[in-house]
């Protein structure tokens, strides 16, 4: 896709502008309308609308023959021959399903994320799809929100890196990407979908908009507005977001599409009186294309006739759509039904296995319970409904996923131990939500006869994703009771959690010997998890989001502000330590909860390995730099254990004094390295002044002189530190 301004201008002059000059008003409005597909056939009314130029895009049509027929009508039978955008939610795979995006983020591996998106694009293109509504790059600090599963977590830098990688994967393989949801949707109050967000502009710019700014710079084909209202103005009618920020400040040349019926929902918000006013507000704000609802089709012509809208405004928005189609090469394609290339499935599944393995995070491993040694096992118990369910392991938002490609953990464990040890299985629960404990006795019997047990617990896929938010983040149903019952047996107990969000694990954490957090790993969950359980690979995933101890700590995230009374171990008092009838006082108090302290269960960036990595000898190329200098940071990393493994090393920075208060730490770099036992490697990070930039109290992006502290380590609690000054 050409991104240079000269290339874009050439496309406008040679293709877009000549088309605009020929288009009637109904044809222009038609380009601004996206309709829902009929699901495998072309109804005559849809064929006629496409033939008359009244449709610019079709969503949710994945039958290759049907798509080819629609494109043939658009290109060969309509007056101007403008091809259609064929949209689909290809979120973490098409036929081959990769880990949910939050799981992919735990890999901290942009290269694998890009490759996964590329495979998804190739598979989807075989169905005629040329546009996906991904990546979702909402900063997500609230695990109650169901759509955290679709996100890359809580950090702007990690989300920016993985979001741009996913964009490259899609667009280098023929499918336009769509950055969503613009903007602030991840801060929905109470973690409830479709709800209100209140974000101060400075926080909006410094945190929530940063990934969108990154993908805009990387040439993402389109943006999607959110369902939320932001500070009183719904995203689909938000002129500040779509005009001031996106068009004027970022000079974004692509197109903007609404979310599903979100323009007509402006009236539901109470922002407009009816669909007519909703169409006016959305178009005036800068939404180029309306998804599914018909406010544009029904009202733009009369609004133009009344003089409330200008034809120049409509022309500019239609030009954005036509330019996007041109950038995707749609005008140069021959539209015929295609068939998936043979020999690609094995490669896709291997990529899915690798990404799934790197996405799993080892949270606990008492006494080196893991890895399991097959030669020392006579019998292994496998417990839980999620151990052998090829559908549930795929996770949320997998409309086109092929469950037949799934290999479950139970299948892989049995294959790995075939002829070596006996595998005993008990389902124990019908579903993750079940309150029926009648299967517990069978599970107890199986564990009693085994040397160790692996429990596959967590959430069914339907419990996360859009419109699936939770107020209670404990293991649902009676899973905690199952853990408690099995823990009494005294056998080594390994908990594998498959879920679409961080769960509060405190109720079960002390009752198990090891915890491997696998998210929803996708098609190859079984081989990936088996590889880790038996030590064929060492876990290398790191948390992309902070895990709370209890729901009452939410929102809890690593890059919070310092505050005037920051907590410390010395200032924390537990509720049970307060004397009865104690006198009220605020002396010595700090920002903590009496019943939960201030620290999370697991910090951002955390993840254990089967080896030990040591960081030492942190050095800086300069202790003072100027605004035109970069800083080189070096640190020594040693694998001081006896297992070859990969480590994700992380660089954090704190601006100690700013014209607006700055976070206690911010991720500014990371890298993944594989070291053999005893290996020592000198890592190098580069920090530029632009990496230190932020928006000040006047909402101007700048780099302020001052002192900065840096840390390098294996998670956000890294202690190895140094300071420098920017003059």
């Amino acid at each position: 896709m050409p991104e240079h301004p000269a290339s874009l201008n050439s496309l406008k002059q040679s293709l877009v502008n000549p088309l605009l000059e020929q288009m009637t008003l109904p044809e222009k409005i038609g380009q601004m309308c996206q309709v829902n597909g009929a699901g495998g056939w072309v109804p005559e009314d849809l064929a006629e609308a496409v033939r008359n130029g009244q449709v610019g895009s079709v969503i949710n049509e994945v039958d290759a023959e049907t798509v080819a027929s629609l494109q043939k009508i658009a290109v060969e039978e309509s007056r101007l021959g403008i091809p259609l955008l064929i949209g689909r939610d290809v979120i973490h795979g098409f036929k081959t399903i990769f880990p949910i995006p939050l799981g992919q983020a735990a890999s901290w591996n942009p290269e694998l994320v890009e490759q996964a998106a590329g495979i998804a694009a190739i598979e989807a293109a075989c169905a005629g799809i040329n546009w996906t509504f991904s990546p979702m790059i909402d900063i997500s600090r609230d695990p109650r929100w169901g759509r955290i599963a679709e996100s890359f977590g809580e950090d702007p830098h990690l989300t920016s890196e993985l979001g741009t990688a996913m964009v490259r994967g899609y667009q280098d393989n023929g499918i336009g990407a769509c950055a969503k949801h613009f903007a602030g949707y991840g801060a929905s109050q109470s973690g409830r979908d479709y709800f209100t967000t209140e974000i101060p502009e400075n926080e909006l710019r410094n945190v929530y908009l940063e990934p969108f700014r990154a993908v805009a710079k990387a040439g993402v084909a389109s943006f999607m507005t959110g369902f939320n209202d932001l500070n009183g103005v719904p995203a689909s009618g938000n002129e500040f977001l779509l005009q001031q920020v996106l068009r004027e400040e970022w000079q974004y040349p692509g197109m903007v599409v609404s979310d599903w019926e979100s323009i007509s929902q402006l009236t539901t918000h109470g922002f407009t009186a009816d669909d007519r006013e909703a169409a006016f507000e959305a178009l005036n704000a800068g939404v180029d294309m309306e998804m599914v609802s018909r406010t544009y089709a029904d009202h733009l012509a009369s609004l133009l006739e009344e003089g409330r809208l200008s034809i120049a405004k409509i022309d500019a928005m239609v030009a954005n759509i036509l330019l996007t189609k041109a950038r995707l090469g749609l005008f140069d394609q021959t539209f015929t039904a295609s068939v998936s290339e043979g020999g690609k499935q094995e490669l896709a599944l291997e990529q899915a296995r690798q990404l799934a393995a790197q996405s799993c995070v080892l949270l606990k491993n008492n006494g080196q319970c893991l890895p399991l040694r097959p030669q020392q096992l006579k019998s292994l118990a496998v417990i839980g409904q999620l151990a052998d369910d090829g559908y549930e392991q795929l996770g949320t938002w997998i409309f086109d996923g092929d469950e037949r490609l799934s290999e479950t953990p139970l299948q892989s464990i049995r294959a790995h131990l075939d002829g070596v040890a006996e595998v005993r299985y008990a389902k124990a629960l019908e579903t993750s939500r079940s309150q029926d404990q009648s299967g517990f006795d069978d599970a107890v019997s199986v564990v009693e006869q085994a040397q160790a047990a692996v429990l596959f617990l967590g959430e069914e896929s339907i419990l996360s994703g859009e419109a699936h938010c939770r107020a209670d983040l404990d293991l649902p149903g009676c899973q905690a009771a199952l853990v408690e019952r099995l823990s009494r047996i005294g056998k080594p107990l390994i908990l594998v959690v498959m879920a679409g969000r961080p769960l509060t694990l405190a109720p079960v954490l002390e009752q198990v010997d090891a915890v491997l957090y696998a998210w929803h790993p996708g098609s190859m969950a079984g081989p990936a998890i088996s590889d880790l359980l038996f030590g064929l690979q060492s876990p290398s995933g790191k948390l992309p989001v902070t895990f709370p101890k209890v729901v009452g700590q939410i929102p809890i995230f690593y890059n919070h502000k310092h505050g005037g009374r920051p907590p410390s171990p010395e200032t924390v008092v537990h509720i049970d330590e307060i004397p009865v009838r104690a006198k009220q006082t605020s002396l010595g108090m700090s920002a903590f909860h009496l019943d939960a302290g201030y620290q999370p269960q697991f910090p951002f960036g955390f993840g254990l390995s089967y080896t030990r990595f040591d960081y030492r000898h942190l050095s800086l190329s300069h202790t003072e730099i100027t605004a035109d200098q970069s800083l080189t940071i070096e640190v020594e990393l040693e694998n001081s254990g006896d297992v070859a493994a990969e480590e994700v090393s992380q660089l954090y920075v704190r601006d100690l004094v700013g014209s607006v208060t700055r976070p206690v730490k911010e991720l500014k770099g990371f890298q993944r390295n594989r070291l053999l036992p005893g290996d020592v490697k000198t890592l190098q990070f580069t920090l530029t002044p632009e990496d230190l930039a932020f928006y000040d109290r006047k909402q101007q992006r700048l780099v302020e002189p001052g002192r900065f502290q840096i840390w390098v380590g294996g998670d956000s609690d890294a202690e190895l530190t140094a300071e420098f000054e920017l003059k």
Side-chain angles (χ1 to χ4, degrees):
M1 294 178 65
E3 299 303 332
H4 192 278
S7 299
L8 296 178
N9 188 58
S10 176
L11 273 179
K12 289 179 183 178
Q13 296 301 321
S14 63
L15 193 154
V16 173
N17 292 344
L19 274 175
L20 273 174
E21 291 174 2
Q22 299 176 63
M23 295 174 78
T24 64
L25 179 61
E27 287 170 334
K28 291 176 181 178
I29 294 173
Q31 285 299 306
M32 304 173 76
C33 297
Q34 181 182 70
V35 301
N36 196 23
W41 65 295
V42 182
E44 184 50 41
D45 60 342
L46 177 56
E48 190 64 17
V50 172
R51 192 174 291 116
N52 293 336
Q54 297 172 334
V55 175
S57 175
V58 175
I59 187 175
N60 292 338
E61 185 55 74
V62 295
D63 177 75
E65 295 282 352
T66 303
V67 171
S69 296
L70 285 168
Q71 292 286 23
K72 188 174 188 293
I73 295 169
V75 173
E76 298 180 10
E77 300 179 26
S78 69
R79 191 174 72 89
L80 296 175
I82 301 173
L84 298 167
L85 283 167
I86 305 296
R88 185 67 163 173
D89 284 291
V90 183
I91 304 303
H92 53 111
F94 189 68
K95 295 298 182 186
T96 307
I97 301 300
F98 295 87
I100 58 172
L102 190 60
Q104 293 188 38
S107 76
W108 294 57
N109 192 329
E111 182 180 355
L112 283 187
V113 170
E114 180 177 344
Q115 291 170 1
I119 289 170
I122 292 168
E123 292 184 354
C126 291
I129 295 165
N130 54 38
W131 186 23
T132 178
F133 305 114
S134 175
M136 196 196 88
I137 50 176
D138 295 301
I139 296 300
S140 304
R141 292 172 164 177
D142 192 333
R144 295 173 300 179
W145 190 46
R147 300 196 79 163
I148 194 173
E150 295 178 58
S151 81
F152 292 125
E154 70 187 42
D155 181 69
H157 180 77
L158 182 61
T159 299
S160 296
E161 291 292 313
L162 299 181
T164 53
M166 191 170 275
V167 168
R168 288 192 302 270
Y170 290 134
Q171 296 187 174
D172 288 351
N173 289 280
I175 288 185
C178 185
K180 66 183 188 185
H181 306 85
F182 198 59
Y185 192 23
S188 185
Q189 289 178 359
S190 189
R192 291 162 60 189
D193 230 336
Y194 317 119
F195 209 37
T196 299
T197 57
E198 297 286 344
I199 308 173
E201 185 178 344
N202 189 260
E203 184 80 351
L204 181 70
R205 288 181 177 276
N206 279 317
V207 177
Y208 292 90
L209 293 185
E210 277 299 281
F212 291 97
R213 191 171 71 91
V215 297
K217 187 177 180 181
V220 68
S222 60
F223 271 59
M224 180 189 289
T225 58
F227 285 118
N228 59 302
D229 75 76
L230 175 63
N231 301 332
V233 182
S236 291
N238 198 306
E239 193 173 355
F240 165 73
L241 286 176
L242 301 179
Q243 291 296 332
Q244 180 179 326
V245 175
L246 189 62
R247 300 299 187 188
E248 295 172 15
E249 295 180 17
W250 297 352
Q251 294 292 296
Y252 177 66
M255 65 173 281
V256 175
V257 63
S258 75
D259 209 334
W260 188 283
E261 296 184 339
S262 66
I263 294 180
S264 62
Q265 289 166 14
L266 294 178
T267 301
T268 310
H269 278 287
F271 186 68
T272 57
D274 51 32
D275 280 359
R276 181 182 180 79
E277 292 305 308
F280 171 78
E281 291 291 348
L283 188 125
N284 189 59
V287 180
D288 300 317
M289 180 179 285
E290 179 173 16
M291 183 183 288
V292 178
S293 51
R294 289 186 50 84
T295 72
Y296 279 10
D298 293 343
H299 300 292
L300 289 191
S302 60
L303 286 167
L304 181 66
E305 185 178 346
E306 292 174 8
R308 295 185 64 190
L309 298 175
S310 71
I311 191 64
K313 179 84 170 177
I314 290 175
D315 282 353
M317 300 173 84
V318 174
N320 292 336
I321 297 167
L322 295 176
L323 182 61
T324 299
K325 293 182 177 184
R327 292 166 67 201
L328 291 171
L330 302 190
F331 289 94
D332 303 320
Q333 290 183 19
T334 300
F335 295 102
T336 57
S338 58
V339 180
S340 181
E341 297 178 50
K344 299 292 186 183
Q345 191 64 70
E346 186 176 341
L347 174 62
L349 290 173
E350 181 54 38
Q351 289 293 113
R353 178 177 186 162
Q354 188 177 358
L355 185 50
Q358 291 195 10
S359 73
C360 294
V361 185
L362 184 62
L363 298 178
K364 179 179 179 180
N365 194 18
N366 278 4
Q368 300 300 304
C369 179
L370 288 176
L372 296 170
R373 308 294 182 186
Q375 63 273 21
Q376 298 174 6
L377 285 175
K378 292 183 179 178
S379 179
L380 179 68
V382 176
I383 309 294
Q385 178 260 344
L386 293 175
D388 195 32
D389 194 319
Y391 175 79
E392 299 295 355
Q393 70 188 41
L394 299 181
T396 183
W397 228 238
I398 46 96
F399 298 117
D400 308 293
D402 189 346
E403 179 185 348
R404 295 170 299 177
L405 297 176
S406 292
E407 187 171 338
T408 70
L410 179 61
Q411 290 172 332
S412 295
I413 290 170
R414 280 178 167 158
H416 191 88
L417 294 180
D418 185 35
V420 178
E422 182 181 13
V423 177
R424 299 174 180 270
Y425 172 60
K427 191 173 182 180
L429 299 164
E430 281 302 311
T431 73
S432 67
R433 293 167 281 166
S434 176
Q435 297 288 354
D436 181 3
Q437 300 187 14
S438 60
F440 282 19
D441 288 344
D442 186 31
V444 168
S445 175
V446 166
V447 173
E448 286 177 338
Q449 297 176 62
Q451 290 175 278
V454 185
L455 282 69
F456 288 87
L457 304 180
E459 296 178 318
E460 298 153 72
S461 59
I462 197 61
L463 297 187
S464 63
E466 184 174 348
H468 294 90
C469 306
R470 294 183 59 195
D472 180 355
L473 297 183
D474 287 351
L475 286 166
C478 59
Q479 294 182 77
L482 175 64
V483 175
E484 194 278 329
R485 179 85 177 272
L486 297 180
S487 70
R488 293 186 227 152
I489 300 172
K491 300 290 179 71
L493 212 54
I494 298 152
L495 173 60
V496 178
V497 181
M498 300 170 75
R501 54 164 60 81
L503 297 176
T504 44
L505 299 176
V508 300
L509 199 56
E510 294 306 312
Q511 298 170 355
V512 297
D513 298 285
V515 178
L516 184 69
Y517 215 89
W519 316 99
H520 285 133
S523 301
M524 297 300 281
I529 292 172
S530 180
D531 285 348
L532 297 172
L533 291 177
F534 296 111
L536 274 67
Q537 290 192 53
S538 175
S540 60
K542 301 279 190 172
L543 294 179
V545 62
T546 301
F547 272 47
K549 296 176 184 173
V550 293
V551 169
Q553 290 182 299
I554 297 169
I556 183 169
F557 45 92
Y558 88 94
N559 51 348
H560 57 83
K561 302 294 182 67
H562 200 244
R565 289 188 175 185
S568 66
E570 294 74 31
T571 64
V572 171
V573 177
H574 191 269
I575 190 170
D576 295 334
E577 298 173 346
I578 301 174
V580 176
R581 300 183 66 82
K583 292 183 178 181
Q584 184 65 46
T585 177
S586 62
L587 297 176
M589 297 298 183
S590 62
F592 69 93
H593 292 109
L594 288 173
D595 49 0
Y598 65 94
Q599 294 174 320
Q601 189 74 68
F602 299 105
F604 175 83
F606 177 80
L608 299 174
S609 172
Y610 291 157
T611 192
R612 188 177 75 252
F613 288 102
D614 293 324
Y615 291 84
R616 55 177 178 260
H617 302 152
L618 177 64
S619 64
L620 309 182
S621 59
H622 303 83
T623 56
E624 294 180 357
I625 61 171
T626 60
D628 59 355
Q629 280 184 297
S630 294
L631 181 71
T632 300
I633 300 115
E634 290 189 350
V635 65
E636 198 170 89
L637 175 66
E638 181 180 6
N639 180 348
S640 51
D642 55 7
V643 174
E646 295 186 14
E647 167 73 339
V648 178
S649 302
Q650 303 156 42
L651 169 69
Y652 294 89
V653 174
R654 182 183 176 198
D655 187 346
L656 294 170
V657 179
S659 57
V660 294
T661 56
R662 306 291 294 126
V664 294
K665 282 183 180 178
E666 292 180 286
L667 180 72
K668 293 298 181 182
F670 60 90
Q671 53 182 274
R672 175 181 278 270
N673 290 282
R674 179 176 176 82
L675 275 70
L676 298 175
D679 277 0
V680 178
K681 184 172 184 178
T682 299
L683 310 183
Q684 191 173 94
F685 295 89
T686 300
L687 197 62
T688 69
E690 174 59 24
D691 294 327
L692 307 175
F694 64 94
Y695 289 88
D696 67 4
R697 66 186 74 174
K698 295 180 179 179
Q699 313 310 331
Q700 299 297 311
R701 186 173 175 83
L702 48 72
V703 180
E704 287 185 348
R707 290 190 307 117
F708 294 82
Q709 187 173 4
I710 66 167
W711 296 263
V712 178
D715 58 52
S716 58
D717 283 347
E719 297 181 352
L720 193 60
T721 186
E723 288 190 16
F724 69 95
E725 185 169 3
L726 176 65
K727 292 290 191 178

